[in-house]
C-alpha cells in the first residue's frame, strides 16, 4: 500500500513529477502523495470532490459534484472557481498539450474548456443509458468516457464525433485510465 487517506478516494491524477493527487469524497479534501508515500494536504472544504486532473503547468483541476463547480488550484496553492454553472460535474481530464480541459456532468454532457477559462463548448452529449463519468485521452486526442450505469466506455474523436463503444462486464463504469508498459492499455 502506498498511502491511506482514511476517507473515500474518488479521483486520482499524477503530475509530471510522479506525485499522486487524490480527491477524497468523504473528507472533502485533496491530498498529494509522493512516490515514497508521504501525504500532504493540498486543499480542503469542498462539497463532494469527484474528478481531479493536473495540467502541464502544475495546476490542479477539481470537479466538485455537490457544489456544481470546477475549481482550479494553482501551483502556489491559490484556489479559484474555474466553472460555476455545470450540473454535478464528475469527470475531468486535461489534454496533453494543456490546451483543453474536458468535464463530464450530470446532464449527460461533456464540455470542453480552454485552460484559461475563456472558451467553453459542448463537446458531446449522450442520449442513451449511462452518465458520463471519468475520462481519459489517447495520443490521437480521442476521448474515452466511462458511462456509469450504462456498462460501457464511449469514444469520441478530437472533433467530438462518435468513434466506438466498448461494453464492459457490469453496469458501473466510473473511471478509465491508460496504463501498461507502453501506456496504450485502457483500464476501466
Amino acid at each position: 500500500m502506498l498511502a491511506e487517506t482514511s476517507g473515500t478516494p474518488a479521483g486520482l491524477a499524477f503530475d509530471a513529477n510522479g506525485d499522486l493527487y487524490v480527491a477524497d469524497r468523504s473528507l472533502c479534501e485533496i491530498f498529494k502523495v509522493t512516490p515514497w508515500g508521504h501525504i500532504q494536504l493540498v486543499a480542503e472544504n469542498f462539497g463532494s470532490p469527484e474528478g481531479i486532473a493536473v495540467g502541464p503547468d502544475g495546476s490542479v483541476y477539481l470537479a466538485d459534484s455537490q457544489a456544481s463547480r470546477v475549481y482550479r488550484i494553482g501551483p502556489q496553492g491559490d484556489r479559484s472557481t474555474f466553472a460555476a454553472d455545470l450540473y454535478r460535474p464528475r469527470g475531468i481530464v486535461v489534454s496533453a498539450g494543456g490546451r483543453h480541459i474536458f468535464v463530464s456532468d450530470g446532464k449527460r454532457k461533456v464540455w470542453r474548456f480552454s485552460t484559461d477559462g475563456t472558451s467553453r463548448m459542448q463537446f458531446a452529449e449522450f442520449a442513451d443509458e449511462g452518465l458520463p463519468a471519468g475520462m481519459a485521452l489517447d495520443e490521437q486526442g480521442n476521448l474515452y468516457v466511462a458511462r456509469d450505469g450504462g456498462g460501457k466506455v464511449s469514444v469520441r474523436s478530437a472533433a467530438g464525433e462518435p468513434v466506438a463503444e466498448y461494453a464492459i462486464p457490469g453496469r458501473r463504469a466510473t473511471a478509465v485510465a491508460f496504463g501498461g508498459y507502453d501506456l496504450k492499455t485502457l483500464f476501466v
Side-chain angles (χ1 to χ4, degrees), residues 21-23 28-32 40-46 49 51-64 70-83 92 101 115:
Y21 286 81
V22 179
C28 305
E29 298 172 336
I30 297 175
F31 297 96
K32 179 169 86 170
Q40 173 188 350
L41 178 66
V42 173
E44 57 189 337
N45 299 320
F46 295 101
I52 192 167
V54 181
D57 69 346
S59 293
V60 176
Y61 296 89
L62 177 74
D64 188 331
V70 174
Y71 295 101
R72 178 187 174 275
I73 301 165
Q76 306 307 318
D78 54 307
R79 178 172 27 185
S80 61
T81 299
F82 182 79
I92 189 166
I101 297 171
T115 51

Side-chain angles (χ1 to χ4, degrees), residues 7-166:
T8 309
L12 305 171
F14 284 98
D15 68 10
N17 298 323
D19 293 322
L20 175 65
Y21 286 81
V22 179
D24 193 298
R25 184 183 303 134
S26 63
L27 297 177
C28 305
E29 298 172 336
I30 297 175
F31 297 96
K32 179 169 86 170
V33 182
T34 67
W36 302 273
H38 175 73
I39 299 176
Q40 173 188 350
L41 178 66
V42 173
E44 57 189 337
N45 299 320
F46 295 101
S48 181
E50 297 278 338
I52 192 167
V54 181
D57 69 346
S59 293
V60 176
Y61 296 89
L62 177 74
D64 188 331
S65 181
Q66 185 179 39
S68 289
R69 293 177 189 248
V70 174
Y71 295 101
R72 178 187 174 275
I73 301 165
Q76 306 307 318
D78 54 307
R79 178 172 27 185
S80 61
T81 299
F82 182 79
D85 58 349
L86 296 175
Y87 178 75
R88 301 188 67 78
R90 295 182 67 192
I92 189 166
V93 66
V94 179
S95 63
R99 290 187 51 204
H100 298 110
I101 297 171
F102 296 87
V103 181
S104 63
D105 74 11
K107 289 190 175 182
R108 302 182 184 277
K109 296 177 183 174
V110 174
W111 298 91
R112 185 177 77 189
F113 294 84
S114 60
T115 51
D116 64 6
T118 60
S119 170
R120 169 184 167 171
M121 67 167 272
Q122 183 178 311
F123 182 76
E125 184 171 14
F126 300 97
D128 58 342
E129 198 172 14
L131 291 175
M135 300 175 291
L137 288 158
D138 69 12
E139 292 175 335
Q140 290 77 38
N142 295 316
L143 182 69
Y144 290 69
V145 182
R147 302 287 303 285
D148 191 6
K152 61 184 156 190
V153 174
S154 298
V155 184
R156 296 293 176 117
S157 71
E161 298 298 320
V163 172
E165 287 195 339
Y166 301 103

